[in-house]
Amino acid sequence: MTTDVTDIAVGAIRTGLLGSGFMARVHSSAARTAGAVLVGIATSSLDRAEAAAATLGVARAEVDADALLAASDIDVVHICTPNATHAPLALAALRAGKHVVCEKPLATDVADARALVEAAAERGVVTAVPFVYRYHPMVREARARVAR
């Protein structure tokens, strides 16, 4: 199930994914549910990106992260890569003027986190680190039991 980018509705959030593992599946589903269109994906190799594009319903595979970040038809980038790569990829995305949704952790030290905050402010883009487990029914039930 791929997306034909010529059929993207005006105003749709055009989304790119970095990474193709479990969290990319979660983010792609959440983005699509929110009305986004999955335009591009990049991962550790073009072969893996092509396989992920086919599996996740992304319009195209990119050769690497740089190509995805340079794409003019992507508004927001979801970073779903190994933890140690989050900060440098988020910084590159911000410098490219992309909005960023970054899986946890955003950074592994305070200096990197501050640099990301500053880069987002300089570019005037929106950034987010999702923390949705608190809304999962099992987590809410566990919290209620502990509170009782």
Side-chain angles (χ1 to χ4, degrees):
M1 171 181 98
T2 58
T3 302
D4 181 355
V5 292
T6 61
D7 293 334
I8 296 176
V10 174
I13 299 170
R14 303 170 304 171
T15 301
L17 297 166
L18 291 176
S20 63
F22 171 76
M23 289 315 300
R25 288 191 298 279
V26 171
H27 280 248
S28 65
S29 176
R32 188 174 282 114
T33 298
V37 177
L38 303 179
V39 175
I41 187 166
T43 187
S44 58
S45 72
L46 182 56
D47 289 344
R48 288 182 58 128
E50 289 171 342
T55 300
L56 300 176
V58 180
R60 70 172 181 269
E62 296 287 1
V63 67
D64 60 20
D66 291 338
L68 185 129
L69 297 178
S72 63
D73 62 346
I74 293 177
D75 304 310
V76 61
V77 174
H78 286 247
I79 299 174
C80 308
T81 57
N83 294 354
T85 66
H86 290 181
L89 288 173
L91 187 58
L94 295 170
R95 287 181 174 157
K98 309 295 187 195
H99 302 285
V100 172
V101 177
C102 185
E103 190 49 48
K104 299 171 288 305
L106 174 63
T108 56
D109 63 52
V110 173
D112 284 347
R114 283 192 179 122
L116 293 169
V117 169
E118 291 168 8
E122 287 171 7
R123 296 290 187 187
V125 295
V126 175
T127 60
V129 177
F131 185 66
V132 297
Y133 291 124
R134 64 182 153 201
Y135 300 110
H136 192 283
M138 281 192 331
V139 172
R140 293 177 72 85
E141 176 63 22
R143 183 182 185 281
R145 290 182 184 197
V146 168
R148 283 195 299 267

